[in-house]
Amino acid sequence: MNSPSLPLLGLLSFCLLAPPRADAEPAALSADLAQTITAAAAYDSGQDMSPLRHLEDLARAAIADPAQRPALEAGLTQLISGDATFEAKRFACQYLGILGSAECVPALAKLLANDTTTGMACLALEPNPAPTAGEALCQALVAARGLSQVQIINALGNRREAPAAAPLARLTQSADVEVATAAIAALGKIGDEPARHTLATLPKPTDPRLQAALTDAILRTAEQLVARGDAKAAARIYTGMLAPTQPPNLRRGALRALLALDRDGGEQRILKVLRAADPVLSPVAIAAMGRVSTPGAAGRFARTLPALPAAEQVWMIEALAQRPEADARAALQAQLTATDTPVRRAAIRALGARGGVEAVAPLLTTLGRATDDAEYREVEAALAGLAGDQATDLALIDRAPALPEDKRGYVFFALAERGSRPALPLLLGASESANPAVVQPALRALTTLATPADAGAVLAKLVELKAPAARVDAEDATRLVLLKVPDPAARSALVCRTLGALPAGSIEARCSLLQLLPACGDQQALDALTPASADADARVRDAATRALADWPTLAAWEALRHIYEQPDSPAHRALALRALVRLQGEANAQPSPGLIDRYQQLLAGARDDGDYKLVLGALGAATQPEALPLATGLLARSSIRAEAAQAVRRIAEAVRATNPQAAEAALEQLK
Amino acid sequence: MNSSHASALNRRQFLRRTATALAAPLLVPASVLGRGGTVAPNSRIVFAAIGVGNRAKAILPNFLGFSELQFTAVADCRAERLRQAKELVDAHYGNGDCRAYGDFREALALPGVDAVFIATGNRWHGMGSIYAARAGKDIYSEKPITLTIAEGRALAETCRRCGVVYQAGTQRRATESYRFAADLVWQGKIGRVHTVEMQVWTGPGIPHGPAQAVPAGWNYDLWLGQVPWRPFVATRVNNWQYFWDTAEGVLTDMGCHYTDQMQWVLRRDGTGPTEFETRAEFPDPSKFCSDTPITAEVRCRYADGVVGVMYQRRGFADRYIRYIGDEGWVQVDDETDEVTAEPKSLLSLKRAGGASWANASAHIRNLIDSIRSRRPTECNPEIAHRAITICQAWTISLRLGRPLRWDPVAERFDLAEANRMLAREARAPYRV
């Protein structure tokens, strides 16, 4: 280490010799304050903290009323000067740190000299604005050792105590590594010319801890140079840190700092880094591209893209996507043909986020070229995200038919996501295709875009369906569109009218329309459906029975009961029974005389244990006392006794409050 | 074609042009990193876990779920916790390779460690992150990220200076319910937001307890870290969240999640409110030694008049954040992850499902991507510092018993005494 210069020696002497001042007499304490100080002085862990909290109240009052401050400060000073406990002194130091003035410094200086109290003294002295606080720390620095010395050094650094630079310079050579690193760090915080000089001329430390502290301190001084407007000096420091011999993280930090200093926003430096293919610095350069606003920068960045590794290409594509220039969009578009899959997909996503109508054609070309579902979906999401609203919609509508049939669906979904009403004719037209790969997505997209006014048109497409494999999907889609019509009667009228207009022999279409009737749910729909369950054509009977089994209300009870009791097939009987049990289960919530009658009908029609168990499942949830005999009546059948007993228990629990005797009697039968 | 399309349409359409579409970096698949879709061991990001108590146990499984990172070291100043953490990591990897350190600085000195996950007590979040940054390690730190406003500023500067990537553990930015609420606000669905209402739970009073010997296997000096030395008192040490020395109570512990949300949703990440006003009920000092509020009502106001109000009251399960606009409101209940809104029709735009805040995987994913790309994380130190500054300003206002004005550019109060509370001198040898 170089010897301190003469001016520094002068400052050092000042630190060593100048005693903290204590000019004024301490303020007198009120009786209340004196009593509180006395009580607080005895505080230790585990005791009542009221005296300390009272002092906090007094501190708040003193901050609001500066006239009260001298007395409180005197009281707190008294607390740290006497025989108070460690905890009490520590408390006082905390508050002297908030409101202490030069008055308390002499007392705090005494605490600095004691290793057990140095820490609490620094707690109070570091934020104290009085110059004497810094002087006291300087003075204590020389005699202190070990952690006390480190504590004082830290406080001086945090105060940016310029006069301490000279003694700190000497301590950078301490044999105690903690002391030396603390001194280096403090000089970095002080950061004035003498401190910088000391740091710049220190011999290169051999201890890595010292080296790390020195580097950090020098970088701190660079920040201060920037703040003071000396960018050139700061840049010299940062440039030195860019060397490949420096740790990667510091190189990155230095590059970021240099980019912030560059007058062109860092454009030339970014280009230089990218051309140098430095894997440590390139990501930082790419991440900083967004800061550059010089005209044409996007194009110049983009020209470096092909030479970058794949990962960096992805990051650059994402960075270019943040830029508004046409050059950026063109570069993104060019990457749609990249052979590297992640790069290509990044370009697809980026174009979707930044592109408009001009991106429709290249994205559709990419879709046409794509060979896997993940990429199809990337394109679909990109198309959905394109700006340009109607013009983009129209471009998509215009070009979709030119795509291979199995890929048009992704455009249909994109149009649906865009909320593109003009796409309706395209989708309705597509639903006439014989290819289910076209029909299914077209109809599903329609479920999003269609309004109640379109329900008739969609219904017509179901009738005209040319792709048998798409029929189930088509029925589902049509049902969703139909449900957008708010009035059940209007829904029903629409379906019934279409049914009535069917040419003879349109069995498939008739079956599909019958399946829609439960979504209408009114009497007109039921009247249309019920006769069909006895139709001469087995396919119609089957469709009608399944539709009846889906009926949402008890209105279908009789029709379903008829099938249950006089079925044309075991399958239809099973469907009817399940539907009847479902309806009963739903009706349990609203007890009525009819409910019990219907259970009796179900039990009367039961043919085997399976039927009984099904009925008992619903019956057990009944809450009417009249349900109990129906369940107990089945206890005698050994093959279903467990289910009957379960039902009895549930019903009995439900009716116990209102019919305790009936409940108890039923439960008695279980014993 | 996937049948999930139809159900996702409304949501996707709603989000289609949100301003955040490009705000978050797009994910870079592992394959693009030259690994052909698989993770080669030498490409893994090597982590050390620092502070492996209850919080770490909850979050570590989220980290361990990523095959592209690997934990090779754990550190804790409590021997039993250290042993358990090593067992957890070793069990995950099916070996006994995880190194265990009683002093985290030894883990930071390992040249093969790229990054750290810090889940210590609050007193070490900021300081530990600064130490890690100086050691050149990328960082995921639990919240609250710092003890003081000055420590937060130092953290942001140190991370920048040292060229490291940092993610604060305020993971709700990556949670579906919170993102949905943010989308509604950004889309203008509730009009101009004028108030953000937040609620955290009632704090406890911690009873007095005597000083006692430090338990075996516990490095109490390192546990304290920068905090001024105090005797070991079990009730105090085991409830460190409720003491001003070591934390700031519920208002900050949970509150910083909400101030982070408020800053994010109001798009104030680089700045903060300008006014703070507080009132609170503190524990009875004759019975309790804790010094953070039991109940409180604290407010802040941004320069444009938007108000944030946080209530500390009621039960743990009653925490929420609500954005109130001139055309409606939207609220996220943290306990249930449920979103409510007025008009209720807004809720039809919400997609079902999505991971809750308890799963930090998406937030960790964001960190991993940033470690690769060197782009800022979603909760980078500047953003996280600004969010917790609000809580710290409330604490200072509470302790001084008066409203405060704040200059978010200079980061100074209008009151000298408050400015003297911006920092606390750290106990040697620790320093920021």
Side-chain angles (χ1 to χ4, degrees):
Chain A
M1 184 187 125
N2 292 342
S3 300
S5 61
L6 278 177
L8 289 179
L9 277 175
L11 287 170
L12 175 60
S13 308
F14 173 79
C15 282
L16 290 173
L17 300 175
R21 289 188 301 272
D23 298 334
E25 285 296 312
L29 308 191
S30 67
D32 172 49
L33 179 56
Q35 194 177 0
T36 305
I37 293 292
T38 302
Y43 172 74
D44 234 327
S45 292
Q47 296 176 1
D48 184 350
M49 296 184 76
S50 297
L52 305 190
R53 297 288 172 263
H54 186 47
L55 283 174
E56 287 178 348
D57 290 340
L58 293 174
R60 292 186 191 101
I63 289 164
D65 176 13
Q68 298 182 34
R69 192 171 306 189
L72 180 63
E73 184 175 359
L76 293 171
T77 304
Q78 185 181 313
L79 203 51
I80 63 170
S81 306
D83 296 329
T85 62
F86 179 90
E87 291 258 37
K89 286 182 178 176
R90 177 186 179 283
F91 172 87
C93 283
Q94 273 184 335
Y95 273 85
L96 286 171
I98 296 169
L99 48 72
S101 69
E103 297 302 318
C104 65
V105 170
L108 289 168
K110 288 180 184 164
L111 296 185
L112 284 176
N114 183 335
D115 284 347
T116 59
T117 54
T118 309
M120 65 173 73
C122 287
L123 204 61
L125 285 168
E126 191 272 317
N128 190 317
T132 51
E135 293 164 14
L137 288 164
C138 273
Q139 195 167 24
L141 178 63
V142 180
R145 290 291 177 271
L147 281 181
S148 291
Q149 195 171 37
V150 172
Q151 186 78 72
I152 293 167
I153 293 169
N154 289 349
L156 286 166
N158 291 337
R159 285 177 63 88
R160 274 59 171 172
E161 194 70 34
L168 289 173
R170 202 172 51 176
L171 290 172
T172 61
Q173 300 300 297
S174 171
D176 183 335
V177 174
E178 289 286 6
V179 170
T181 53
I184 290 169
L187 285 168
K189 289 176 183 174
I190 292 168
D192 61 1
E193 201 286 326
R196 286 201 307 277
H197 175 79
T198 301
L199 293 170
T201 55
L202 274 179
K204 185 175 170 56
T206 52
D207 188 306
R209 290 169 294 178
L210 286 174
Q211 180 58 53
L214 180 58
T215 304
D216 191 64
I218 289 172
L219 285 170
R220 268 185 194 271
T221 64
E223 289 168 1
Q224 292 175 58
L225 285 167
V226 172
R228 290 171 196 164
D230 192 351
K232 276 188 179 174
R236 277 196 296 276
I237 293 172
Y238 289 130
T239 303
M241 289 290 172
L242 281 182
T245 50
Q246 295 288 354
N249 65 296
L250 294 181
R251 296 181 69 210
R252 293 183 187 123
L255 175 60
R256 208 169 281 138
L258 282 166
L259 291 168
L261 293 177
D262 288 336
R263 287 186 180 164
D264 66 349
E267 182 187 339
Q268 290 309 312
R269 197 182 298 275
I270 289 170
L271 289 169
K272 187 177 166 190
V273 168
L274 294 178
R275 288 181 193 124
D278 184 330
V280 170
L281 298 183
S282 288
V284 176
I286 294 168
M289 279 169 44
R291 302 179 57 252
V292 179
S293 57
T294 45
R300 292 188 285 278
F301 291 141
R303 280 195 283 280
T304 67
L305 197 147
L308 297 176
E312 291 175 15
Q313 285 190 29
V314 170
W315 297 329
M316 177 171 281
I317 287 167
E318 290 165 1
L320 287 170
Q322 310 270 6
R323 304 187 65 94
E325 302 106 299
D327 281 0
R329 281 203 299 276
L332 298 175
Q333 202 166 305
Q335 293 307 312
L336 290 176
T337 56
T339 53
D340 187 279
T341 301
V343 172
R344 192 173 61 252
R345 291 191 183 161
I348 293 169
R349 289 193 296 272
L351 211 54
R354 277 295 174 266
V357 65
E358 79 293 339
V360 169
L363 281 170
L364 291 182
T365 303
T366 306
L367 179 61
R369 245 190 337 255
T371 55
D372 67 83
D373 192 59
E375 192 140 321
Y376 302 154
R377 289 177 184 285
E378 294 277 16
V379 176
E380 178 199 321
L383 293 172
L386 288 176
D389 290 342
Q390 183 122 355
T392 302
D393 291 353
L394 294 177
L396 283 167
I397 293 163
D398 189 41
R399 289 171 182 273
L403 280 170
E405 285 194 325
D406 62 334
K407 294 181 179 175
R408 287 180 204 164
Y410 296 97
V411 181
F412 298 161
F413 286 134
L415 285 162
E417 288 178 46
R418 299 176 65 82
S420 172
R421 286 280 298 163
L424 222 62
L426 170 74
L427 298 173
L428 288 168
S431 64
E432 294 172 7
S433 168
N435 185 347
V438 176
V439 178
Q440 285 165 335
L443 283 166
R444 289 237 291 278
L446 277 169
T447 63
T448 300
L449 291 177
T451 64
D454 303 316
V458 176
L459 211 53
K461 298 304 169 191
L462 176 64
V463 170
E464 295 161 10
L465 192 72
K466 297 185 183 69
R471 182 161 296 280
V472 173
D473 278 344
E475 289 167 0
D476 287 344
T478 310
R479 185 179 297 108
L480 288 171
V481 174
L482 194 62
L483 285 168
K484 292 186 178 185
V485 179
D487 178 15
R491 293 199 292 264
S492 183
L494 198 57
V495 178
C496 290
R497 194 164 56 240
T498 311
L499 262 173
L502 280 180
S506 303
I507 301 298
E508 294 294 338
R510 190 175 174 204
C511 289
S512 289
L513 292 172
L514 289 172
Q515 304 265 27
L516 296 178
L517 289 169
C520 304
D522 70 346
Q523 192 58 46
Q524 185 189 3
L526 187 60
D527 290 346
L529 183 59
T530 305
S533 66
D535 195 272
D537 190 299
R539 289 170 295 176
V540 173
R541 278 202 311 278
D542 186 65
T545 302
R546 289 177 189 281
L548 277 171
D550 283 340
W551 202 262
T553 66
L554 280 168
W557 182 270
E558 287 306 322
L560 284 164
R561 182 185 161 200
H562 179 75
I563 297 169
Y564 173 56
E565 291 174 351
Q566 299 174 44
D568 66 343
S569 74
H572 285 172
R573 182 177 178 279
L575 279 172
L577 176 57
R578 281 193 208 121
L580 291 165
V581 167
R582 169 179 60 80
L583 291 169
Q584 280 293 83
E586 290 164 5
N588 279 333
Q590 293 167 321
S592 68
L595 183 78
I596 300 303
D597 291 346
R598 291 194 296 273
Y599 275 120
Q600 284 171 336
Q601 291 167 13
L602 290 179
L603 291 172
R607 292 180 180 175
D608 56 27
D609 289 348
D611 290 354
Y612 281 117
K613 287 176 184 176
L614 210 55
V615 176
L616 281 168
L619 182 64
T623 56
Q624 282 180 257
E626 294 84 351
L628 270 175
L630 298 183
T632 53
L634 295 173
L635 287 171
R637 288 176 177 262
S638 59
S639 58
I640 58 166
R641 180 177 167 81
E643 288 80 6
Q646 174 71 7
V648 169
R649 269 191 288 273
R650 290 175 66 194
I651 301 166
E653 284 303 320
V655 305
R656 188 194 290 275
T658 51
N659 296 72
Q661 287 179 335
E664 286 306 322
L667 290 170
E668 191 63 30
Q669 293 187 51
L670 301 182
K671 291 178 180 171
Chain B
M1 294 286 173
N2 188 310
S3 61
S4 67
H5 264 96
S7 59
L9 286 181
N10 284 341
R11 168 68 176 169
R12 291 172 65 177
Q13 185 179 345
F14 169 62
L15 293 175
R16 181 154 49 96
R17 291 195 180 83
T18 60
T20 52
L22 277 174
L26 304 172
L27 302 188
V28 181
S31 57
V32 87
L33 300 165
R35 301 189 297 273
T38 59
V39 179
N42 60 2
S43 298
R44 285 183 185 168
I45 302 167
V46 176
F47 268 78
I50 294 173
V52 282
N54 296 331
R55 184 60 186 157
K57 280 181 194 159
I59 297 294
L60 255 180
N62 293 164
F63 275 95
L64 294 172
F66 287 93
S67 60
E68 59 204 281
L69 59 82
Q70 180 164 14
F71 278 80
T72 62
V74 290
D76 201 293
C77 58
R78 295 171 67 172
E80 180 57 19
R81 289 184 165 187
L82 186 60
R83 186 187 62 74
Q84 290 174 2
K86 175 177 161 51
E87 282 178 6
L88 190 153
V89 173
D90 283 344
H92 177 78
Y93 293 117
N95 58 33
D97 295 347
C98 181
R99 284 164 287 183
Y101 298 96
D103 186 331
F104 75 93
R105 289 168 292 188
E106 293 179 70
L108 290 182
L110 295 171
V113 169
D114 304 308
V116 293
F117 163 48
I118 298 177
T120 57
N122 297 6
R123 65 208 169 276
W124 267 115
H125 288 164
M127 183 78 82
S129 297
I130 288 171
Y131 274 50
R134 286 187 189 138
K137 314 299 185 192
D138 297 321
I139 301 154
Y140 183 108
S141 172
E142 276 302 321
K143 41 55 59 175
I145 63 159
T146 50
L147 272 187
T148 66
I149 293 173
E151 192 179 52
R153 175 48 56 210
L155 171 67
E157 288 175 356
T158 307
C159 287
R160 190 178 63 227
R161 183 189 314 133
C162 296
V164 300
V165 167
Y166 173 98
Q167 176 84 300
T170 36
Q171 76 277 21
R172 282 163 177 76
R173 290 194 185 204
T175 302
E176 176 64 24
S177 52
Y178 285 92
R179 293 195 78 98
F180 173 67
D183 284 336
L184 287 182
V185 173
W186 293 336
Q187 294 275 316
K189 302 285 184 189
I190 59 168
R192 190 191 71 87
V193 172
H194 53 77
T195 305
V196 181
E197 189 177 294
M198 301 158 270
Q199 184 164 294
V200 297
W201 59 94
T202 304
I206 306 301
H208 292 295
Q212 61 195 83
V214 177
W218 192 324
N219 183 343
Y220 180 56
D221 188 86
L222 189 57
W223 185 91
L224 277 173
Q226 65 170 302
V227 175
W229 191 87
R230 299 182 82 167
F232 187 98
V233 174
T235 52
R236 198 160 56 200
V237 168
N238 290 325
N239 296 283
W240 51 262
Q241 299 95 323
Y242 309 110
F243 294 86
W244 188 45
D245 279 355
T246 45
E248 290 183 305
V250 180
L251 269 181
T252 299
D253 252 9
M254 181 63 204
C256 70
H257 275 303
Y258 285 148
T259 55
D260 176 67
Q261 286 290 313
M262 177 171 69
Q263 291 271 106
W264 178 52
V265 173
L266 296 179
R267 299 201 186 286
R268 311 293 164 100
D269 272 340
T271 180
T274 55
E275 295 172 42
F276 298 91
E277 193 172 352
T278 55
R279 64 179 182 192
E281 173 203 1
F282 287 93
D284 177 350
S286 67
K287 297 177 185 163
F288 305 110
C289 57
S290 50
D291 51 10
T292 54
I294 291 178
T295 61
E297 179 180 333
V298 295
R299 291 171 180 271
C300 63
R301 184 188 299 272
Y302 289 88
D304 63 354
V306 177
V307 170
V309 54
M310 187 180 290
Y311 300 104
Q312 183 181 340
R313 62 187 181 188
R314 300 187 186 154
F316 174 77
D318 298 324
R319 59 199 190 277
Y320 69 83
I321 184 166
R322 174 186 285 205
Y323 302 96
I324 306 170
D326 47 23
E327 293 172 24
W329 55 262
V330 57
Q331 172 171 325
V332 183
D333 287 284
D334 202 64
E335 177 75 3
T336 59
D337 216 25
E338 186 185 358
V339 182
T340 47
E342 191 61 47
K344 292 182 176 58
S345 58
L346 295 175
L347 299 174
S348 65
L349 300 167
K350 186 175 186 315
R351 183 170 51 187
S356 84
W357 55 266
N359 185 339
S361 296
H363 207 48
I364 296 166
R365 172 81 260 166
N366 178 250
L367 170 71
I368 293 170
D369 292 338
S370 289
I371 288 175
R372 302 279 194 211
S373 68
R374 312 313 294 178
R375 287 183 288 211
T377 59
E378 204 157 16
C379 292
N380 62 61
E382 182 67 35
I383 284 173
H385 162 61
R386 293 291 187 169
I388 195 175
T389 290
I390 297 169
C391 299
Q392 290 161 338
W394 277 331
T395 295
I396 293 172
S397 168
L398 277 171
R399 298 200 70 83
L400 295 180
R402 56 180 292 160
L404 294 169
R405 285 181 173 275
W406 173 249
D407 177 347
V409 177
E411 296 196 314
R412 304 286 292 177
F413 290 106
D414 64 342
L415 183 73
E417 289 79 4
N419 287 327
R420 289 170 72 166
M421 298 174 78
L422 289 172
R424 286 185 228 163
E425 183 67 13
R427 189 171 65 96
Y430 311 107
R431 66 174 165 275
V432 297

